[in-house]
Amino acid sequence: MAKIIDGKAISAKIRQEIKIETEKLIREKRITPGLAVIIVGEDPASKVYVRNKRLACEGAGMYSVVHELPETTEEETLLRLIDKLNSDKKIHGILVQLPLPPHIDEGRVIESISPEKDVDAFHPVNVGKITLGSYDFLPCTPAGVMTLLEESGIEIGGRDCVVIGRSNIVGKPQALLLLEKNGTVTICHSKTKKLAEITRRADILVVAVGRPDFVNGEMVKEGAVVIDVGINRKADGKLTGDVDFASVEPKASYITPVPGGVGPMTITMLLKNTLTAATKYAEMTCR
Ligand code: GUN
């Protein structure tokens, strides 16, 4: 029987701490952390995420503004908006919800965000800093996973860590963060051969592939820590992860549920990054 890592409870605790820090920044420096979220198009999942981000900001006492742009928005229009937000003193964090419509160059958009306001930590400058091990922001989902491991007292140093997935948003930065904590890290992906042989060696297995029930009990070592980053919607509308909970849970020592595991932590880390950005801004301007 695995211990269930309660992402909702850990998230609530950290959000409370962030709220207190936010109130302190407002009281002492007269600066309210501000987040601007941009969404282009009508993707229903993205709309839910953006709404949740706005509500979380407001819950933490932060200022938030959402820019909803139509699917047909031209890249130049989006770049002009980002430029405006880059110099807006009320805004300390800018997040462009991904994916963007195919006619917009995602890389160009990400690079147009000022690195100091890049609360996703997707800008090449921030990616580079993370690679070198000295950074201001961490990407929200991998940072959320690291916090769940830490809060659960799970040791990483010297342990075999396997990450399935190599996206820029989760897999790659996740591997770097585990490496930074002295894990022995393997990254698996769609071209990996003998995947189950590799995953069965994992003391810590992080799954971020976006396919329901991709990992089953046969692929997991007895006593492994299993972190499920997947959020997939089933035909009946219910959410499910990338891990087949029913067959994996009896073998794991710790496991994250979906929903209620990694998901709530992603937004919590976004709040943390927005607070960090505002605090840095206060340090620069209030001397
Ligand atoms: N789409 C899915 N995850 C993310 C994320 O962490 N940030 C942004 N901006 N878009 C996403």
Side-chain angles (χ1 to χ4, degrees), residues 81-265:
L81 172 60
I82 292 171
D83 205 36
K84 231 175 80 190
L85 294 168
N86 278 340
S87 47
D88 185 335
K89 291 188 169 53
K90 291 209 297 292
I91 297 299
H92 309 100
I94 302 169
L95 181 146
V96 179
Q97 187 65 30
L98 304 177
L100 287 165
H103 67 276
I104 297 179
D105 180 342
E106 212 165 87
R108 201 165 163 226
V109 170
I110 289 169
E111 285 188 41
S112 76
I113 299 171
S114 162
E116 295 80 35
K117 296 193 178 189
D118 171 37
V119 284
D120 262 327
F122 292 166
H123 190 288
V125 165
N126 289 321
V127 175
K129 284 184 174 180
I130 293 161
T131 309
L132 296 172
S134 114
Y135 42 75
D136 303 315
F137 309 117
L138 288 175
C140 300
T141 301
V145 170
M146 298 308 286
T147 308
L148 288 179
L149 293 173
E150 194 182 313
E151 290 282 327
S152 307
I154 294 162
E155 186 61 46
I156 298 168
R159 300 184 81 192
D160 280 319
C161 304
V162 174
V163 179
I164 317 182
R166 56 172 157 177
S167 71
N168 291 335
I169 295 182
V170 186
K172 280 188 217 166
Q174 188 68 71
L176 278 173
L177 298 187
L178 290 163
L179 178 64
E180 198 194 5
K181 294 286 179 201
N182 301 314
T184 302
V185 183
T186 305
I187 308 176
C188 300
H189 47 78
S190 54
K191 299 282 188 291
T192 298
K193 297 199 176 81
K194 299 186 178 167
L195 177 67
E197 269 182 32
I198 299 169
T199 58
R200 274 198 290 270
R201 290 205 299 264
D203 298 310
I204 300 172
L205 179 63
V206 181
V207 192
V209 286
R211 283 168 59 178
D213 300 339
F214 184 78
V215 165
N216 60 41
E218 294 284 293
M219 298 166 73
V220 174
K221 177 166 83 174
E222 197 73 45
V225 174
V226 181
I227 307 290
D228 189 350
V229 180
I231 303 179
N232 310 292
R233 205 166 281 278
K234 289 193 287 194
D236 64 4
K238 288 207 177 114
L239 291 181
T240 186
D242 292 348
V243 173
D244 173 31
F245 192 89
S247 66
V248 172
E249 187 271 338
K251 289 182 87 176
S253 57
Y254 289 85
I255 190 167
T256 59
V258 178
V262 175
M265 291 301 291

